[in-house]
Amino acid sequence: DAGITQSPRHKVTETGTPVTLRCHQTENHRYMYWYRQDPGHGLRLIHYSYGVKDTDKGEVSDGYSVSRSKTEDFLLTLESATSSQTSVYFCAISPVGRGDYEQYFGPGTRLTVT
Amino acid sequence: DQQVKQNSPSLSVQEGRISILNCDYTNSMFDYFLWYKKYPAEGPTFLISISSIKDKNEDGRFTVFLNKSAKHLSLHIVPSQPGDSAVYFCAAGTGTASKLTFGTGTRLQVTL
């Protein structure tokens, strides 16, 4: 158990509203990631963080922003949600020292934008 | 540009038989490959990995094979069990960043 929680687990929101998803880890891992999963696309990286206040873009970052003010929390914000952002969002962490590539995932947040 | 491809969206195998899931990649800089398993309504779980310096890695019923010249990897599950029914994702990473690129997934169904 990698000690990752995501909140909320489910959310329905209207187009144009801001939405923030939270990822919380209990084990002080340096690297954290946000992915979205869509049919036919697999898992696509949105943003990732390699330390407090250190973040970078992934392949599908448009329309999303992130923040990491504490090691344990990584927030994903949709500034103005659109229907194309309806998806399942997964947070992941990468434990340094156990293989830089292995990532461990949270349970996911299902977001529906109406 | 899909750098990691899983060309079979689904696969059905009888219980007890071998399941073979395939993955192709285009980026020759990838040097580490992983397989994840995902059940509905859960996050992906790490299954097995292989470094580019190896051509095989085994863990119980699961074996991953890497053919660097063909830019191809495969996951063998022997014997297949009903609990193996899930979506399997392959992923690849490079030494310069702790980022992974995932394939689109293959849904494995193991039938009785």
Side-chain angles (χ1 to χ4, degrees), chain B residues 56-72:
Chain B
K56 177 183 175 181
N57 188 27
E58 194 171 353
D59 184 1
R61 296 186 298 114
F62 302 91
T63 303
V64 56
F65 295 91
L66 176 62
N67 182 333
K68 288 190 293 294
S69 61
K71 294 190 176 68
H72 178 82

Side-chain angles (χ1 to χ4, degrees), chain A residues 9 31 33 35 37 40-45 48 57-59 90 94 98-108 110, chain B residues 2 31-32 34 36 38 41-46 49 87 89 92-105:
Chain A
R9 294 292 313 279
Y31 287 89
Y33 308 82
Y35 291 88
Q37 186 200 359
H41 291 278
L43 291 155
R44 293 181 292 173
L45 182 65
Y48 69 105
K57 295 178 179 180
E59 63 178 300
F90 290 101
S94 183
R98 278 160 49 184
D100 283 345
Y101 301 106
E102 293 169 22
Q103 296 180 14
Y104 297 88
F105 286 80
R110 181 173 294 275
Chain B
Q2 191 79 30
D31 59 3
Y32 203 86
L34 308 89
Y36 283 83
K38 185 183 180 306
E42 295 183 10
T45 55
F46 170 71
S49 62
V87 177
F89 292 99
T94 69
T96 56
S98 290
K99 295 192 295 183
L100 294 177
T101 301
F102 283 82
T104 52

Side-chain angles (χ1 to χ4, degrees), chain B residues 80-95:
Chain B
S80 300
Q81 299 174 353
D84 296 328
S85 296
V87 177
Y88 290 79
F89 292 99
C90 65
T94 69

